[in-house]
Amino acid sequence: MKFLLGSILLLLFVPAFFAQGVEELHSRSQAAIAEGRYADAIRDLRMIELNHAELFTLNNYDYLLGRTHERAGNAAAAMAQFHTVVTRNSVLKEYALFHLAAIARSSGNLVHERTFLEELIAFSPSSLMAEPARNRLARSLFESGNYERSLRAFEALASGVPARSGASKGDDPVARENRLFLARCLMQSGNAGAARENFLGLIKTLANAAQPDDLALAAIKELDKLDFGTQASDRKVPSLSDYDHLQRASIYQFNRDFTDARLHYAAIINDHPTSGIVSDALFQTGRGYTQETNFSEAIKWYERTVEQFPVHPVSKDALLQAASAYARVGKFRESIRRYNDYIDKYPTDEKVDRAYLNIIDVLRDEGSEIEAQKWAVKVQEKFRGKLPEAQALFAEARILIARNNWDDALNALDRLAAMPDLGGAAVPGGTSKTEIAFLRAFVLEQKRDFAAAVIAYLDIPDGRSEYYGSRATERLSKMANDEASKAAVKERFEAIVASQSLDPDSSRKRLQSLIRLVEDPKQDEAFLDPLRKAYSTLPSYRKVPEFKLVNAGRSEMRKKVGTAPSDHHRALADELIFLGLYDEAAPEYDISIPTTSAGPSDAAFTKAVLYRRGDKGFKAVAFAEPLWRSVPADYQIELIPREMIELLYPAPYAGAFRKHAKPRDVDPRFLLSLVRQESRYQPDVKSYAAARGLMQFISTTSNKIASELNRPNFEQDELYDAQTAVLFGSQYTANLFKLFPKQPEAVAASYNGGEDNMKRWMNRSKSDQADRYVPEIAFSQSKDYVYKVMANYRVYKMFYGENLDSRTSF
């Protein structure tokens, strides 16, 4: 009887379970995919297929299921779904074919890859996938050793339209890569002359000759092989003119292939001893060793340059570099001697101030603080009324802070505050009015003049990009929770509450100050609404960009076959948006809407949102950032609309950050803060310093990380893959946090300027407190980098959780 009752209940509940609404299953699967829970998404999509087969195909869920299996790493299951999409001639057939080709390639089946690519090109020649398919088809033929067909394919591509809209064939990266393959095909076909012409063409058509790209590097390597023949593996170079050697050496050096660069520099020195560029070859050899941090070897080449070419202009730079290198190997007095040699030899040179100022740093690194302070005073006297006076005074102020000499430090900072030119971020060892204001407030706090410190901190504007404004707000928070200083904070808070003003701008400043002084979030909310009203009365604060999402894509479940839009790209966009596949939807939507030159619009905003959702954060930032330049820098962060925050600070590749960062105890939000500054979320970018990808790795660092990750066959171009970049970035940043535990500012500075330099700067401050060691960062670029990364990190922490989920409150 119990069994019968159980069976009846099962029969009653099973239909109800299977009748679960498709809309609910759709929503659940979308949420699961967004959170990387692919097994849950696959289960829900299978439920739709099992119980609503017609709706499953009508709404292209088979394609979504294929994409989800692909993301989950189940290539066989993905292929099965994509085959179904192709067989039933879905509107998404071209995308399914492209994915089938990619899966075939990843499994090593290049024949099947070409079959799918050829079908895609024949089926949909105007598809956005068609041009990538043609490029990939030519590469597949080359990789298969079919050089004759590959040659014809690359010749056809070379005679066609550039792959990237608005780019010439000379500076388009895809067209340049095609030319490299074309040259290699010619080599394999025995046409060495034509191959050479194309290799040389890649060098001659650089968009910026000072920044030769990967393809120029590849061309140089091929030319070395071509010119030297079969013995190129002996690590020798061919007989060339001195300037040809210099050109090749420069390309190797820029791309951080220092070993091959040195071979060509050595050829200039040894084979062309009377050439006018021997001095440059000597010096650049030293520079290569410096970039490898092999300072002992670098010294030999700098000294040789000075000895052999004492009156040549390059000797000046060699002398400065030698002095710096001596300090890096701990030979501080030899370093000072070489700087003094520079001062004696070039007393009126434009760089002589660097020699004077660097002696201060060398003395500090040696531990001779008193002597360093005396030398700083001497430099101030030497350069009275000029920028180096301010730099030397700033160095003296930092020495005094490191020695906890608060009274003299305050005096030095007050003198600095009165100076007209502090150098700013553009000058090594320079400072700014804001940094001086913060240090002054910090010194007042250490002097226990809490009332003055609170006022000084409040005088520093705070905003989303204001590092020292953020630090000032953090110091105020600490003071509010410290028994010794909390009364001063409370007194200032009550004084501001009691003050009233009818002037809207004064009211704004008053409310912003109160928000910085409250600790209770409920009180914070009480001041935000009045501040929002105050902003509405001020023209400059009313400039906050506001847009509405245009209806893009279909939002309703398709219940029957309908009429597709006449625009094929719009039809694709509709389907892909409905399925939540924004990485493919955004470009289709983009090409389907008319271009307008009337400035930012709702349609442009919608495009940016779709690109953000599709992990193309660089497109989102490119839209939003220019709009916010006219908004005051101290605009209250909490009042920035959420949709604008997500465009300014997107979280692309969230799954990769969660997967690789969190297990290494690295906050994904910190990594995103680095990415925002390094590459603006663009995965295929290469910097002027030959750093690649999202996280901008140079080859020496990436090779070290590849070894740690046990990837013996790692190639530098893999860094252009976002997943690989995030993995490497997570590993490297985790290493830096082991060196500097709970010190994100130090990690950021190390990421940009090197961990050895960060150790020196921290040692000079005699502290692991960021407010004391950040001012010590001597590289202007690195200090500015820290400002920006930490400002990014603050916003990411305010608006995103540790799993990169959206925060709804602060």
Side-chain angles (χ1 to χ4, degrees):
M1 188 66 180
K2 288 182 179 179
F3 175 77
L4 179 61
L5 180 59
S7 299
I8 293 171
L9 289 171
L10 183 62
L11 290 171
L12 288 172
F13 282 109
V14 167
F17 176 73
F18 282 121
Q20 205 169 11
V22 182
E23 287 84 358
E24 181 185 346
L25 291 168
H26 174 90
S27 297
R28 279 195 347 204
S29 65
Q30 292 283 295
I33 291 170
E35 295 168 11
R37 294 183 289 107
Y38 300 126
D40 292 343
I42 289 168
R43 182 198 63 215
D44 288 337
L45 292 169
R46 285 294 189 194
M47 288 283 290
I48 299 175
E49 182 182 26
L50 181 63
N51 298 289
H52 309 279
E54 186 177 357
L55 293 180
F56 185 78
T57 54
L58 269 174
N59 291 279
N60 288 297
Y61 284 119
D62 46 359
Y63 180 72
L64 178 59
L65 185 55
R67 286 291 311 274
T68 309
H69 276 305
E70 192 177 30
R71 287 169 172 171
N74 190 338
M79 285 195 81
Q81 293 300 319
F82 291 139
H83 271 300
T84 301
V85 175
V86 172
T87 301
R88 66 182 181 81
N89 215 30
S90 162
V91 68
L92 297 177
K93 176 179 176 179
E94 61 204 68
Y95 279 93
L97 285 167
F98 197 78
H99 284 281
L100 284 167
I103 293 171
R105 177 172 75 253
S106 66
S107 67
N109 194 331
L110 298 181
V111 174
H112 279 179
E113 178 195 21
R114 292 194 292 276
T115 300
F116 295 129
L117 292 173
E118 287 166 351
E119 185 177 356
L120 190 164
I121 295 165
F123 168 74
S124 187
S126 61
S127 167
L128 292 182
M129 296 294 100
E131 190 65 23
R134 293 186 187 98
N135 284 300
R136 182 55 220 165
L137 179 60
R139 285 156 177 74
S140 182
L141 289 165
F142 182 87
E143 291 165 15
S144 297
N146 193 335
Y147 300 118
E148 288 187 14
R149 282 192 62 196
S150 181
L151 177 60
R152 292 197 297 271
F154 281 115
E155 285 175 338
L157 288 169
S159 63
V161 178
R164 187 180 58 183
S165 176
S168 69
K169 292 177 186 176
D171 63 11
D172 181 86
V174 176
R176 283 178 58 75
E177 186 177 53
N178 286 343
R179 187 170 189 178
L180 176 66
F181 275 104
L182 174 62
R184 286 172 170 168
C185 288
L186 289 165
M187 279 285 293
Q188 294 294 335
S189 302
N191 193 342
R196 178 187 296 277
E197 183 181 340
N198 279 280
F199 288 137
L200 289 171
L202 284 167
I203 300 166
K204 294 175 181 176
T205 57
L206 284 165
N208 184 345
Q211 298 177 19
D213 59 14
D214 305 15
L215 301 166
L217 174 64
I220 286 295
K221 288 184 175 181
E222 296 286 0
L223 285 169
D224 273 358
K225 292 177 185 177
L226 191 63
D227 288 331
F228 201 79
T230 57
Q231 299 181 53
S233 59
D234 295 340
R235 309 304 299 166
K236 296 180 181 178
V237 293
S239 296
L240 303 170
S241 73
D242 51 352
Y243 279 94
D244 282 339
H245 278 303
L246 181 63
Q247 182 186 53
R248 296 189 188 186
S250 299
I251 292 173
Y252 279 124
Q253 186 103 320
F254 175 81
N255 285 278
R256 307 187 75 84
D257 186 341
F258 300 115
T259 301
D260 284 324
R262 282 194 285 270
L263 291 174
H264 283 281
Y265 287 134
I268 296 171
I269 297 165
N270 298 325
D271 300 343
H272 303 276
T274 61
S275 170
I277 58 175
V278 168
S279 56
D280 294 295
L282 290 169
F283 177 73
Q284 289 301 330
T285 301
R287 287 291 296 150
Y289 280 118
T290 293
Q291 287 178 276
E292 289 180 309
T293 67
N294 187 346
F295 298 106
S296 295
E297 193 64 30
I299 288 169
K300 298 175 185 177
W301 291 90
Y302 293 139
E303 292 286 19
R304 183 175 170 184
T305 305
V306 173
E307 181 182 350
Q308 288 186 221
F309 299 93
V311 296
H312 193 284
V314 78
S315 181
K316 292 191 295 184
D317 290 330
L319 190 53
L320 279 179
Q321 290 292 334
S324 175
Y326 277 119
R328 299 301 296 273
V329 297
K331 296 183 177 180
F332 301 114
R333 289 296 153 173
E334 186 62 31
S335 172
I336 293 170
R337 185 178 73 81
R338 300 310 268 153
Y339 279 128
N340 276 316
D341 286 347
Y342 190 96
I343 291 168
D344 293 340
K345 192 172 183 180
Y346 310 107
T348 61
D349 186 71
E350 60 181 9
K351 294 181 181 179
V352 72
D353 60 316
R354 295 309 315 155
Y356 277 99
L357 292 164
N358 287 348
I359 289 174
I360 302 172
D361 291 336
V362 174
L363 288 168
R364 296 190 69 194
D365 290 340
E366 187 185 45
S368 304
E369 293 286 299
I370 301 300
E371 190 178 351
Q373 186 179 341
K374 290 179 180 178
W375 186 263
V377 172
K378 179 180 178 179
V379 177
Q380 292 170 55
E381 293 169 352
K382 168 70 178 176
F383 294 95
R384 189 71 67 193
K386 299 177 181 179
L387 176 58
E389 179 191 3
Q391 293 169 277
L393 180 54
F394 183 45
E396 182 186 3
R398 299 197 311 271
I399 293 169
L400 293 166
I401 290 172
R403 296 174 60 202
N404 298 329
N405 188 337
W406 306 121
D407 289 330
D408 288 345
L410 185 62
N411 178 268
L413 292 167
D414 284 339
R415 287 162 56 203
L416 273 168
M419 289 185 168
D421 184 5
L422 300 177
V427 176
T431 184
S432 65
K433 296 289 185 183
T434 304
E435 185 171 45
I436 296 306
F438 176 83
L439 288 174
R440 187 178 181 283
F442 180 79
V443 169
L444 287 168
E445 183 186 350
Q446 307 314 305
K447 281 169 57 66
R448 303 181 72 80
D449 189 348
F450 298 127
V454 171
I455 293 172
Y457 282 133
L458 285 173
D459 282 343
I460 301 170
D462 194 5
R464 69 181 180 92
S465 300
E466 302 300 309
Y467 171 73
Y468 275 118
S470 169
R471 294 305 308 152
T473 300
E474 182 65 26
R475 297 301 309 178
L476 287 166
S477 178
K478 289 183 178 180
M479 290 180 70
N481 288 285
D482 184 84
E483 286 299 324
S485 55
K486 64 192 304 183
V489 176
K490 183 180 179 182
E491 182 181 344
R492 189 60 192 163
F493 176 80
E494 291 173 348
I496 296 173
V497 168
S499 67
Q500 296 292 333
S501 174
L502 297 177
D503 176 57
D505 198 50
S506 297
S507 177
R508 169 192 65 79
K509 292 177 182 177
R510 172 179 172 274
L511 289 164
Q512 288 181 173
S513 293
L514 289 172
I515 290 170
R516 297 174 76 179
L517 292 173
V518 298
E519 287 299 303
D520 184 352
K522 292 181 180 178
Q523 271 190 297
D524 195 52
E525 288 290 333
F527 294 123
L528 283 173
D529 190 52
L531 180 60
R532 186 181 288 108
K533 292 176 181 176
Y535 281 174
S536 69
T537 65
L538 297 165
S540 59
Y541 288 84
R542 285 205 305 262
K543 292 180 180 178
V544 174
E546 293 184 1
F547 301 97
K548 292 181 180 178
L549 277 174
V550 174
N551 289 330
R554 61 183 178 90
S555 56
E556 298 296 325
M557 182 77 57
R558 182 181 287 121
K559 304 295 176 61
K560 61 180 181 179
V561 177
T563 304
S566 57
D567 184 326
H568 178 63
H569 292 294
R570 189 55 183 265
L572 288 168
D574 284 352
E575 293 306 305
L576 293 164
I577 290 170
F578 173 77
L579 295 173
L581 298 171
Y582 300 108
D583 56 336
E584 294 169 341
E588 296 290 353
Y589 178 78
D590 192 347
I591 201 171
S592 73
I593 62 173
T595 304
T596 175
S597 58
S601 63
D602 288 345
F605 169 70
T606 303
K607 273 199 316 185
V609 169
L610 292 175
Y611 275 121
R612 175 189 64 77
R613 293 175 182 173
D615 285 343
K616 290 183 172 62
F618 61 97
K619 295 269 191 179
V621 174
F623 169 80
E625 220 164 34
L627 303 175
W628 277 83
R629 288 176 188 148
S630 60
V631 178
D634 67 346
Y635 193 95
Q636 196 71 28
I637 301 173
E638 295 92 330
L639 295 183
I640 300 175
R642 177 80 207 196
E643 62 271 17
M644 276 294 161
I645 283 290
E646 290 181 347
L647 293 179
L648 289 165
Y649 301 89
Y653 315 108
F657 283 104
R658 286 191 291 262
K659 178 180 178 182
H660 299 306
K662 291 196 63 102
R664 292 172 170 82
D665 293 324
V666 176
D667 188 343
R669 298 169 297 185
F670 182 74
L671 281 183
L672 278 166
S673 302
L674 293 172
V675 168
R676 189 178 196 276
Q677 187 57 27
E678 287 289 345
S679 64
R680 278 299 192 268
Y681 317 100
Q682 191 165 342
D684 60 351
V685 70
K686 183 177 180 181
S687 79
Y688 70 91
R692 292 171 170 85
L694 272 181
M695 304 207 70
Q696 291 290 277
F697 273 98
I698 58 174
S699 58
T700 46
T701 306
S702 57
N703 286 334
K704 178 182 175 183
I705 298 302
S707 177
E708 291 179 15
L709 295 171
N710 194 26
R711 295 179 63 154
N713 299 318
F714 168 74
E715 295 183 3
Q716 295 299 322
D717 284 359
E718 293 179 53
L719 293 168
Y720 296 128
D721 170 66
Q723 301 289 325
T724 301
V726 174
L727 169 61
F728 276 54
S730 300
Q731 178 73 12
Y732 180 51
T733 307
N735 292 345
L736 293 177
F737 270 112
K738 289 174 185 175
L739 290 174
F740 305 103
K742 299 181 180 179
Q743 295 289 338
E745 287 93 344
V747 170
S750 300
Y751 200 99
N752 180 265
E755 53 263 43
D756 289 341
N757 287 318
M758 184 61 244
K759 289 176 184 176
R760 291 163 62 217
W761 300 327
M762 189 174 279
N763 287 338
R764 289 175 193 171
S765 75
K766 303 185 187 305
S767 172
D768 62 358
Q769 188 178 5
D771 294 331
R772 296 174 70 133
Y773 68 69
V774 168
E776 293 284 5
I777 297 174
F779 299 166
S780 54
Q781 181 192 56
S782 296
K783 185 189 281 190
D784 188 57
Y785 181 86
V786 170
Y787 293 165
K788 290 173 179 173
V789 167
M790 294 308 298
N792 295 342
Y793 189 32
R794 181 194 189 190
V795 177
Y796 271 112
K797 287 192 292 184
M798 289 178 71
F799 287 90
Y800 294 88
E802 288 185 2
N803 288 316
L804 301 181
D805 51 312
S806 296
R807 290 190 189 278
T808 55
S809 62
F810 308 101

